[in-house]
Structures are given as structure tokens and as C-alpha cells.
Amino acid sequence: MTDPLPTTFILPATIADFISISVVDDGPFFIDGLFRRSFASEAPRVPDHVVAFARAGELLQPVSYLHMHRLGDMVLVGGLCTDGEALRGLAPDQQQALRAAGGIGLNMLRYGFARFADTAAHVGYCGDARAFEIDMQAGFRTTQHQYLLIHTPRPLAPEKEADIIARAHALGPF
């Protein structure tokens, strides 16, 4: 596992004893099956891979994945998926604590935003209504382009934000 930059995100105390989120070098090693079930394709092979693990006794089980791909001054955010079966396997009090903390997806995004806060913007492409709700709770904003979202760790000059949005839009769905 890599962790060259400190994160300013702290998991809510109510879930920190059984959930851990980290950037890992080889995301597909941990979540390729989950990604295939969620998106019918193989997981991204390029960094950066954010994985949430749940403690089950002495074992850690990957339960969620998020891809954060640096591209110049922005990070492309995508591929958020969760292993619902694994989460249903948590103890009922753990499931309740996770729901009360906003759910695994929200915490994954908040971790990713904090961990990659050294970039000008995080951009996402979202067409799923449920994922959109989580994205908005995490701090994404809509843009003038359908499905394209932006989150800025710090305020940007309007022309800089417009430039990032234009470049992200030119990529098409990611």
C-alpha cells in the first residue's frame, strides 16, 4: 500500500474500528471481481486506486472501490462500486453505524477529495441517480454538461474552472 501524502480526512469514529480506506498500488488485485460485477469490464490498471476494507474478525475484506486518475491539474473520479453482499455481512450495529456515517460511498469520496486535495479540481461523470445523490452530498457540483460534475478543493478563478470543465468534457465519458 502507498501513502505518500497525509490525508486530512478522518473516518467518523463510529465506523473507524471496522472500516479502513486506503490508496493501494494494485487495485485490481483487491477488487477486480467487484468491478466486473458492477461495470461488466475489468478494473482500471492505472493509478490511483482507493479501496475500503471492512474488518471481519482478523481478516480485512475489500468492500468498496474508487478510481482517482490524475490528469494534469485535475483528477478524474470514477468507478465507485460497493460490495453490497459484503456490507450486509457486517454485524447489524456496524451496518447501522455505517448508514449513520453517510454510507461507504460518501466516505470514499470524502477520503478521495482529501487525499487528492493537491489538485485544482476533481471531475466526475455520473448518469446514475443514486450515485448522483452521493456525489452531491460529497461536494460535487453540476456543470453545464449533462453528467459532468466538478469538485474544487479550493476556489478557482472562473476562467480556470471553465478550462478544466472544457478539458474534462472533451474526454467524453470516463
Side-chain angles (χ1 to χ4, degrees):
M1 291 185 200
T2 61
D3 210 39
L5 298 173
T7 178
T8 58
F9 175 75
I10 299 172
L11 273 172
T14 55
I15 63 173
D17 64 332
F18 66 95
I19 296 290
S20 179
I21 303 174
S22 186
V23 174
V24 300
D25 288 332
D26 188 1
F29 176 84
F30 294 102
I31 55 77
D32 205 39
L34 169 62
F35 198 90
R36 285 180 191 280
R37 288 190 305 275
S38 298
F39 297 105
S41 67
E42 69 178 27
R45 298 310 198 232
V46 296
D48 283 294
H49 309 280
V50 179
V51 179
F53 297 90
R55 183 183 314 278
E58 293 298 314
L59 301 175
L60 291 178
Q61 177 177 14
V63 294
S64 191
Y65 173 76
L66 178 64
H67 192 236
M68 307 275 297
H69 181 66
R70 289 179 187 271
L71 191 60
D73 58 353
M74 65 179 153
V75 174
L76 306 180
V77 181
L80 179 62
C81 52
T82 299
D83 187 336
E85 186 176 323
L87 292 179
R88 285 187 294 278
L90 295 174
D93 61 320
Q94 292 174 324
Q95 292 178 36
Q96 175 56 36
L98 189 56
R99 279 191 297 276
I104 196 69
L106 179 62
N107 282 281
M108 292 285 287
L109 286 166
R110 287 179 174 165
Y111 173 91
F113 289 168
R115 182 70 169 68
F116 297 89
D118 60 333
T119 59
H122 308 116
V123 291
Y125 191 87
C126 180
D128 179 81
R130 184 172 165 203
F132 180 80
E133 283 182 34
I134 296 168
D135 289 342
M136 293 298 104
Q137 286 178 328
F140 269 118
R141 294 179 282 118
T142 58
T143 69
Q144 69 271 31
H145 304 289
Q146 186 177 24
Y147 306 127
L148 187 65
L149 308 175
I150 189 167
H151 170 266
T152 56
R154 291 163 299 289
L156 295 178
E159 53 279 350
K160 175 70 172 176
E161 185 169 309
D163 175 62
I164 289 172
I165 290 169
R167 286 185 285 130
H169 177 66
L171 295 171
F174 53 87

